[in-house]
Amino acid sequence: MRSSPLEPAHEAAGATFTDFAGYRMPVRYSSDLAEHHAVRQAAGVFDLSHMAEVGVVGPDAVPFLDHALAGSFGAMPVGRAKYSLLLAEDGGILDDLVVYRTGEDVFLVVANAANRSVAVSALQDRSAGYDVEVSDDSDTTALVAIQGPAAAGTLDALVVADRLQPETPLDELRYYRVLHALFDGAEVLVARTGYTGEDGFEIYSGTEVASSIWDALLETGADRGVVPAGLAARDTLRLEAGMPLYGHELSTDVRPAQAGLGRVVATSGSFVGDAGVQPAPDARVLVGLVTEGRRAPRAGYDVVLDGTVVGTVTSGALSPTLGHPVAMAFVDPSALATVADGGQVLHIDVRGTAVPSTVTSFPFYRRTPRG
């Protein structure tokens, strides 16, 4: 099992660990609810060093990515980030990714930890014939994220203290942007993306400075209510934000449009998987479901209409922020015929009880618009 470079800090903080994608990662420090609420009300600091970082460098970086991924990168300015998909030949989803353009011919592709070998192998194989170098930089890269309303103020304080030195003013870093910076003299990347539905930042660094970054965020943010947060809180936060998780909402059996990701796919040019990217007309589609009471749907539960199974829950939980259960599910399009009339009511089989559930759009929770 792999270890994060921050494992000693997690142990010192009393973390409970779990095996996640082959890594020993903190699932919680205090309680799932406390950490979830801290992110919504102040900020949480997450160790994401298990994620896979793939470097793409060379004169053919843009045409290579246009070929290898289901997006278009030629018009993407330096300093921008883009959500994209890595597809199989038949159009199924191998992984969902975030791509950062950090130089004219320099990109950073961030893949899910569980799909590291798949993503690296696919990208390296697809680089044949292109003047580009594809490198797996995961083992030498650490990733620390701070998410929540207090995130920007915490980073601003580090800038004032001269520990964080961004190449451009931090307040000019908008959503889905990235910039170069120094942290205590070490080169880092600061991105403004995230997976919680809150404003937040990610700091990519070498493993040798990860502990200093982690400690600085927690110490500087302590008076603002900033706390360490584990994978359990991250999962309920992303669910409230309506963000898909690979292995639940995304898989090789799912086409992008089924999961509401048709907008991510390039509409011109050719790329691996383009021939099979369109789902069958009767393919199930991803929807949000809201239920009353306290009985939370879980992945694998049946979705029922008039006694017939019409779908399957992929993720579900009692929303800590909203106070009622929410779920994501793939449902037959024929069962959604009246959704435009004010919300189709389906039922979820929760351990033998048919629980009424209203179809809704994503996200379940929405914060104040970002700057």
Side-chain angles (χ1 to χ4, degrees):
M1 188 178 298
R2 299 172 184 263
S3 297
S4 161
L6 292 168
E7 184 169 298
H10 302 320
E11 291 178 337
T16 299
F17 289 88
T18 188
D19 177 1
F20 186 81
Y23 280 81
R24 184 172 183 255
M25 298 299 294
V27 66
R28 69 182 59 83
Y29 300 84
S30 57
S31 76
D32 303 350
L33 284 177
E35 292 164 22
H36 180 108
H37 288 310
V39 173
R40 291 279 181 249
Q41 298 164 11
V45 180
F46 297 86
D47 178 11
L48 306 181
S49 298
H50 58 301
M51 300 292 282
E53 290 85 15
V54 183
V56 176
V57 181
D60 287 347
V62 168
F64 160 67
L65 289 172
D66 285 349
H67 163 72
L69 305 181
S72 180
F73 298 90
M76 181 179 176
V78 174
R80 294 289 184 93
K82 189 172 189 176
Y83 181 78
S84 192
L85 297 170
L86 177 70
L87 302 183
E89 293 281 355
D90 65 358
I93 301 174
L94 291 173
D95 201 11
D96 62 328
L97 318 159
V98 176
V99 181
Y100 301 95
R101 190 170 195 172
T102 61
E104 190 61 33
D105 298 322
V106 183
F107 291 81
L108 171 64
V109 179
V110 181
N112 286 293
N115 293 332
R116 173 181 172 179
S117 61
V118 171
V120 172
S121 295
L123 291 171
Q124 290 179 337
D125 289 346
R126 296 174 190 184
S127 69
Y130 291 92
D131 186 1
V132 68
E133 179 182 349
V134 178
S135 59
D136 182 0
D137 301 328
S138 308
D139 291 338
T140 57
T141 305
L143 174 55
V144 178
I146 180 168
Q147 294 276 305
T154 301
L155 285 194
D156 286 340
L158 290 174
V159 173
V160 171
D162 209 29
R163 297 196 67 184
L164 180 64
Q165 299 173 317
E167 63 178 354
T168 57
L170 202 59
D171 59 7
E172 295 180 5
L173 184 65
R174 301 296 188 230
Y175 189 47
Y176 261 67
R177 306 290 199 275
V178 62
L179 57 77
H180 292 271
L182 296 177
F183 183 87
D184 287 351
E187 294 184 356
V188 301
L189 289 174
V190 179
R192 198 169 194 171
T193 50
Y195 195 55
T196 64
E198 296 294 338
D199 189 17
F201 302 83
E202 294 75 45
I203 302 178
Y204 294 85
S205 74
T207 55
E208 67 281 358
V209 297
S211 293
S212 295
I213 295 170
W214 176 269
D215 291 343
L217 290 172
L218 290 173
E219 291 168 4
T220 304
D223 292 342
R224 298 173 170 84
V226 178
V227 301
L231 292 172
R234 183 172 165 82
D235 190 48
T236 51
L237 289 160
R238 71 91 192 170
L239 176 58
E240 289 182 346
M243 295 179 173
L245 176 64
Y246 198 91
H248 288 251
E249 289 73 42
L250 307 178
S251 72
T252 52
D253 296 326
V254 174
R255 302 299 182 268
Q258 290 179 257
L261 299 177
R263 68 190 185 282
V264 177
V265 179
T267 56
S268 62
S270 62
F271 52 86
V272 177
D274 58 356
V277 74
Q278 292 302 321
D282 60 349
R284 288 179 170 177
V285 295
L286 189 66
V287 300
L289 295 172
V290 174
T291 70
E292 299 179 356
R294 309 287 290 180
R295 302 184 68 180
R298 300 297 182 188
Y301 286 9
D302 288 335
V303 180
V304 180
L305 175 64
D306 297 331
T308 300
V309 175
V310 296
T312 304
V313 172
T314 54
S315 297
L318 177 62
S319 165
T321 304
L322 304 175
H324 57 71
V326 297
M328 304 172 83
F330 276 104
V331 175
D332 293 338
S334 59
L336 305 172
T338 62
V339 68
D341 297 332
Q344 173 71 53
V345 176
L346 304 173
H347 289 80
I348 300 177
D349 185 349
V350 181
R351 296 186 296 276
T353 300
V355 177
S357 305
T358 302
V359 177
T360 187
S361 59
F362 299 119
F364 301 107
Y365 161 85
R366 190 187 303 274
R367 66 176 290 276
T368 302
R370 303 170 192 268

